[in-house]
Amino acid sequence: MARLLAVFSFSGVLVATACPQPAVADPYNCSCVTYARSKTGLLGGPPTAAGYTETAMNERGYVRVSPRPGTIMVWDRNRKGAGAAGHMAIVTGAAYNGQTRKWTIDVRHVNWNGNCGEHPLRFTGASGMADWGNLDGVNFYFRR
């Protein structure tokens, strides 16, 4: 959608100049780490998600727990669809199906596959990118 920028006259003819709407600034700079910090109060630490090891999280007052809403989900580098920098998200829902032995995990995050805007995503046992029946390569942290 265009917005009116200016109206002026050339030889008695009114001319309106329009420009596209400005892009919405990404308050997280397309960084899953900045997003997770802003949503949870996680202070400081490594610049990439892969640096948030269990030791690093413990030093910041977080403990490793099973998946549940409100936890920070941290992907290890190159695991379950994350790249070399790893990934972070906030869990909004989690359920384990004992029959299929698969997890369904709902998250909100930024910068998954280059999508910089904040968005929800569901990871299920049927995900083509990873085996969500186990949680190898991902960890969940909650503030003590």
Side-chain angles (χ1 to χ4, degrees):
M1 171 182 277
R3 67 184 170 112
L4 188 62
L5 181 63
V7 176
F8 51 94
S9 174
F10 281 113
S11 302
V13 177
L14 288 177
V15 177
T17 301
C19 69
Q21 289 286 346
V24 176
D26 173 11
Y28 312 112
N29 295 318
C30 202
S31 166
C32 61
V33 173
T34 301
Y35 175 80
R37 286 177 183 164
S38 73
K39 297 297 182 184
T40 63
L42 176 64
L43 298 175
T48 65
Y52 284 87
T53 61
E54 187 167 358
T55 299
M57 291 299 281
N58 289 164
E59 289 170 354
R60 287 162 181 77
Y62 287 78
V63 294
R64 188 173 172 190
V65 296
S66 60
R68 59 181 153 214
T71 57
I72 301 172
M73 184 175 177
V74 180
W75 281 250
D76 294 340
R77 65 182 28 113
N78 301 314
R79 298 300 300 269
K80 296 203 184 304
H87 190 65
M88 291 178 112
I90 307 303
V91 176
T92 58
Y96 183 75
N97 183 323
Q99 289 184 325
T100 64
R101 300 166 81 182
K102 303 283 184 183
W103 282 93
T104 298
I105 301 172
D106 296 315
V107 301
R108 291 197 65 80
H109 56 168
V110 301
N111 198 20
W112 183 256
N113 292 329
N115 184 345
C116 290
E118 177 182 7
H119 60 281
L121 191 61
R122 173 171 279 181
F123 296 96
T124 69
S127 295
M129 70 182 82
D131 173 12
W132 289 97
N134 66 64
L135 297 177
D136 292 339
V138 293
N139 297 293
F140 302 83
Y141 298 98
F142 195 77
R143 188 188 310 252
R144 288 185 213 132

